[in-house]
Structures are given as structure tokens and as C-alpha cells.
Amino acid sequence: QVQLVESGGGLVQAGGSLRLSCGVSGRIFSINVMGWYRQAPGKQRERVARMYSGGTANYTDSVKDRFTISRDNAKNTVYLQMNNLKPEDTAVYFCNLKNYYSGSLAGDYWGQGTQVTVSS
């Protein structure tokens, strides 16, 4: 069974930084995508950043040049470094793992979420 556990959320002033971590237990396929999503009150969940097993990373426009996704495959952990935080970054942040096999999605797993609150 795959489990994801996030940590690192909290309250920070605008302009500050936080680093989220997501530890994964269970099987991670060789072809996978790990990502961070967020959901603000009254809004749909949106993808913030993702990193493919080959190392390519994508970011949503609103966080480019402020957030950095990274992964430590030896530790089965993915990180999200968030700098220059803005009040609009306030949301619950979720970690996600997608396993792929033979080009098809073989598993889609979520963490429980961690709250990030940015005060103005």
C-alpha cells in the first residue's frame, strides 16, 4: 500500500519562505510523476508543480520563479521550496504520486494535506 505524508506547512508572513516535504512509503514505479497541488477555500484543487522521474519539472505560472520542486529518490521524498510567499498562496497543499506502467496510469495516490497560511 502506498502512503504519502506531508509536513512543513504553517503560518508565515508575506515575503517569507516555507519548505514542504512529502515522504512516500510503498512501491514507486520507475516511471512516475510526483507533484504538489493546492486547494484554497471555495476553489478547485490546482496543480502547483510536478516532477517526472526523469527530472523534468513543470510549474503553474503563478509560482514560477518563486517555488522549486525537488526529489530525493534515495529517501522517497519530494520537496517544495516556497519563497516570496504571497497571501494568495494560502491553501491546503497536497502531495501526489502517479505511477505509470506500460504508458498507462497504474496508481494515483494522495497525501492528507498540509495547511499553508500567508498573512499580509
Side-chain angles (χ1 to χ4, degrees):
Q1 186 73 7
V2 175
Q3 291 186 320
L4 288 72
V5 179
E6 301 102 333
S7 61
L11 174 64
V12 64
Q13 288 188 333
S17 298
L18 283 174
R19 188 194 196 204
L20 306 182
S21 300
C22 174
V24 182
S25 60
R27 187 179 178 188
I28 301 175
F29 288 17
S30 58
I31 306 299
N32 64 80
V33 183
M34 296 200 71
W36 288 96
Y37 291 69
R38 66 186 179 187
Q39 187 166 17
K43 294 188 177 181
Q44 289 189 331
R45 189 173 297 189
E46 66 167 346
R47 187 176 67 235
V48 175
R50 63 183 173 184
M51 179 171 273
Y52 293 83
S53 45
T56 301
N58 302 129
Y59 300 89
T60 191
D61 286 346
S62 62
V63 308
K64 284 180 180 177
D65 300 323
R66 299 189 298 122
F67 291 11
T68 302
I69 188 172
S70 61
R71 48 192 296 175
D72 185 335
N73 292 328
K75 295 182 179 179
N76 286 350
T77 301
V78 63
Y79 305 95
L80 186 68
Q81 177 66 43
M82 305 185 294
N83 298 328
N84 190 22
L85 282 159
K86 303 176 180 181
E88 51 264 42
D89 295 318
T90 295
V92 178
Y93 283 70
F94 298 89
C95 179
N96 174 259
L97 166 66
K98 292 179 174 37
N99 279 331
Y100 288 89
Y101 182 76
S102 295
S104 298
L105 184 64
D108 193 0
Y109 308 97
W110 293 90
Q112 81 287 353
T114 186
Q115 177 71 45
V116 171
T117 303
V118 184
S119 63
S120 56

